[in-house]
Amino acid sequence: MNEPGGAPVLIRSRDNALLKELRRLAQDSTAYRKQGRIWLEGDHLARALLARGGRAELAVFPESEWPQAQAEWGRAAPKSVVVADALFDGLSTLESPARMGLVLTLPPVPDLEPQAPTLVLDRLQDAGNVGSVLRSAAAFGFRQVLALKGTAALWSPKVLRAGMGAHFGLRLMESLEAAALDALAVPLLTTSSHQGELLGSQPLPWPCAWAFGHEGQGVSAELARRAARAVRIGQPGGEESLNVAAAAAICLHLSAMRREAGPKL
Amino acid sequence: MNEPGGAPVLIRSRDNALLKELRRLAQDSTAYRKQGRIWLEGDHLARALLARGGRAELAVFPESEWPQAQAEWGRAAPKSVVVADALFDGLSTLESPARMGLVLTLPPVPDLEPQAPTLVLDRLQDAGNVGSVLRSAAAFGFRQVLALKGTAALWSPKVLRAGMGAHFGLRLMESLEAAALDALAVPLLTTSSHQGELLGSQPLPWPCAWAFGHEGQGVSAELARRAARAVRIGQPGGEESLNVAAAAAICLHLSAMRREAGPKL
């Protein structure tokens, strides 16, 4: 590592202790919980972090990118390390490995805000789906996200990648029991593919909490019991069922539209 | 292979010629174009095919599933082969390999219907996004899908998996040039994250064609020039940009809602 302005340490051994920790962070989806820090891979995520005023503790570059990378990313983190290219590529689980990464401290868990527009994730499995849903939540003003136990790890590299920076504008809580939802003072809405009122046919409450469930099983019976309302998305094309992230986008967007425009939409 | 009622051939060599072809179909996303047939992995997709009246040419089972599998799937295909379990697992690129697969003839390319509600895909890269968009198209009554050159191969195992059976209810054309869109007689709508009319603020035409573009770059300039209208999805939460499959779900759903309910939605 280097001090600001100094020459960084160059890691050339795959057994280097720091490199081993980085590898675990990059490849094990829950390693961040043990290490208390997050691996952000790629310049898009890094830019999203900085745009939100975030700061990393460490910047990591492949050797061939140094020192040009220092000019671009020197202020992203107080320290940098440079890793031999083949070892850097070995960190990544992405199909096309990125050219830089940041390590940042896992943000402290925020307090639950009872009145906030909220997204509840009930055992969503697929990292791409979770990331897409976080993007939709951020876009449509649902800044509090409660992930129940069994949901994909929110700060894992794959969810971060799919979230495209949405994480940094959200208040994220995870590994919750359903009982934690008792603290919410806003109505809980669930979706179903085959029952409930038709989405769009009734006014939607604001603020509210939208819950989305497991890709195959939907929301749990326990969550369904807590719901103020169940809605279904009309699918005039037939009995196809939507991808859960697609369903979430539709519901969150309609909530936001109705809030802005009133009942005319 | 077997004749109906007969004992199937058991493949135990990884160099078996048929097994090599199956491996290519299962692992190379465009091999179906050369072979003219498709690999459908898993019982969910198989059931979706049969529910639509489709039929396979060959059913493939791991050895440990035979002969129970014959009872369940014997009518799905006129012939079956049984493959040693380790070799069957080696076919799959899924995280949890399925317990059966079907091989079917690639459907003939349908004729373009100028007046049909249509989805245009312009260089969408991610198989999960393409599959999700096909599900939304089927759910909301857009049964014609035109994929321009550079879009992920529609009949690849990963897109089939993400499509969850939607393929079998759609008329799919792929590898098209943008000029093919000249044959459409319905207005072409594109989305943009930062310009155009706000989605929901104006009536939507029906039938219409919705175009969705590359995950990073959006629709091409050539496609944008052909569009009758560009719309943007209001994102009151900030300048986040949505996942393309989420954006598509919102647009296709609103089209379908407006069609059903008229301007009150």
Side-chain angles (χ1 to χ4, degrees):
Chain A
M1 299 193 201
N2 68 333
E3 297 306 312
V9 168
L10 169 61
I11 298 177
R12 285 188 186 277
S13 161
R14 61 172 292 112
D15 297 324
N16 175 281
L18 173 62
L19 190 70
K20 280 182 173 171
E21 284 180 19
L22 294 180
R23 206 180 289 132
R24 233 171 269 132
L25 274 187
Q27 298 181 1
D28 173 349
S29 62
T30 60
Y32 68 82
R33 291 175 183 161
K34 286 165 227 146
Q35 291 195 29
R37 44 190 198 167
I38 298 162
W39 171 246
L40 270 199
E41 186 165 338
D43 54 355
H44 181 95
L45 282 175
R47 265 186 263 278
L49 173 74
L50 301 181
R52 289 275 179 186
R55 193 127 194 270
E57 55 184 75
L58 180 68
V60 186
F61 305 101
E63 192 173 0
S64 61
E65 297 291 329
W66 188 266
Q68 305 90 308
Q70 188 184 28
E72 190 175 356
W73 297 105
R75 291 200 295 188
K79 294 182 180 180
S80 301
V81 295
V82 174
V83 178
D85 282 24
L87 293 177
F88 187 92
D89 291 349
L91 283 174
S92 181
T93 57
L94 302 178
E95 287 187 23
S96 40
R99 290 161 40 247
M100 56 87 62
L102 296 178
V103 177
L104 58 152
T105 306
L106 184 63
V109 179
D111 290 331
L112 189 148
E113 285 186 17
Q115 299 285 351
T118 298
L119 181 70
V120 177
L121 304 180
D122 178 21
R123 296 164 299 127
L124 254 69
Q125 302 293 299
D126 181 79
N129 283 342
V130 174
S132 174
V133 168
L134 295 184
R135 289 175 74 181
S136 294
F140 297 126
F142 292 76
R143 302 218 164 265
Q144 174 164 271
V145 178
L146 309 179
L148 303 188
K149 270 192 180 158
T151 301
L154 298 185
W155 294 98
S156 71
K158 283 185 184 166
V159 175
L160 277 161
R161 181 77 167 187
M164 296 282 281
H167 287 72
F168 309 125
L170 297 169
R171 292 180 301 103
L172 303 174
M173 283 154 264
E174 63 177 353
S175 302
L176 301 178
E177 304 286 352
L181 304 180
D182 291 345
L184 284 175
V186 296
L188 182 66
L189 310 181
T190 60
T191 52
S192 165
S193 58
H194 56 284
Q195 59 184 17
E197 66 184 56
L198 195 62
L199 179 72
S201 66
Q202 304 290 330
L204 291 170
W206 186 274
C208 69
W210 277 104
F212 300 97
H214 182 278
E215 281 85 351
Q217 300 156 19
V219 297
S220 70
E222 188 177 1
L223 204 60
R225 276 196 301 274
R226 291 170 190 270
R229 286 157 64 181
V231 302
R232 69 189 160 83
I233 297 172
Q235 298 183 36
E239 341 77 286
E240 318 292 336
S241 77
L242 293 165
N243 165 274
V244 64
I250 290 166
C251 294
L252 300 180
H253 172 253
L254 195 66
S255 269
M257 280 176 87
R258 288 283 176 86
R259 177 195 179 195
E260 301 261 308
K264 81 183 166 82
L265 287 178
Chain B
M1 299 192 200
N2 68 334
E3 296 307 312
V9 168
L10 170 61
I11 298 177
R12 286 188 186 277
S13 162
R14 61 172 289 113
D15 297 323
N16 175 280
L18 174 61
L19 190 69
K20 280 181 173 172
E21 284 180 19
L22 294 179
R23 208 181 288 129
R24 234 170 270 133
L25 273 187
Q27 297 180 2
D28 173 349
S29 62
T30 60
Y32 68 84
R33 292 176 182 161
K34 285 165 229 150
Q35 293 195 28
R37 43 191 200 166
I38 297 162
W39 171 245
L40 270 198
E41 185 165 338
D43 54 354
H44 181 94
L45 282 175
R47 264 186 264 278
L49 173 74
L50 301 181
R52 289 273 178 188
R55 193 123 194 269
E57 56 184 75
L58 180 68
V60 186
F61 305 101
E63 191 173 1
S64 61
E65 297 290 328
W66 187 267
Q68 304 91 308
Q70 188 184 29
E72 190 175 357
W73 297 105
R75 292 201 294 187
K79 294 182 179 180
S80 301
V81 295
V82 174
V83 178
D85 283 24
L87 294 178
F88 187 92
D89 290 350
L91 284 175
S92 180
T93 56
L94 302 178
E95 287 188 22
S96 41
R99 290 162 39 248
M100 58 87 62
L102 296 177
V103 177
L104 57 152
T105 305
L106 184 63
V109 178
D111 291 329
L112 189 149
E113 286 186 16
Q115 299 285 350
T118 298
L119 182 70
V120 177
L121 304 180
D122 177 21
R123 297 165 298 127
L124 255 70
Q125 302 294 299
D126 181 79
N129 283 343
V130 174
S132 174
V133 168
L134 295 183
R135 289 175 74 180
S136 294
F140 298 127
F142 291 77
R143 301 216 164 266
Q144 174 164 270
V145 178
L146 310 180
L148 302 189
K149 270 193 180 159
T151 300
L154 298 184
W155 294 98
S156 72
K158 282 185 184 167
V159 174
L160 277 161
R161 180 77 167 187
M164 296 283 280
H167 287 70
F168 309 126
L170 296 170
R171 292 180 300 104
L172 303 174
M173 282 153 265
E174 61 177 352
S175 302
L176 301 179
E177 303 286 352
L181 304 180
D182 291 345
L184 284 176
V186 295
L188 181 67
L189 310 182
T190 60
T191 52
S192 164
S193 57
H194 56 284
Q195 59 184 17
E197 67 183 57
L198 194 63
L199 179 72
S201 67
Q202 304 290 332
L204 291 169
W206 185 273
C208 69
W210 277 103
F212 300 96
H214 182 278
E215 282 85 351
Q217 301 156 19
V219 298
S220 69
E222 186 176 1
L223 204 61
R225 275 196 301 274
R226 291 169 190 271
R229 286 158 62 182
V231 302
R232 67 189 162 82
I233 298 172
Q235 299 182 36
E239 341 76 288
E240 319 291 338
S241 77
L242 293 165
N243 166 273
V244 63
I250 290 166
C251 293
L252 301 179
H253 172 254
L254 194 66
S255 269
M257 279 175 88
R258 289 279 176 89
R259 176 195 181 196
E260 300 261 308
K264 82 184 167 78
L265 286 179

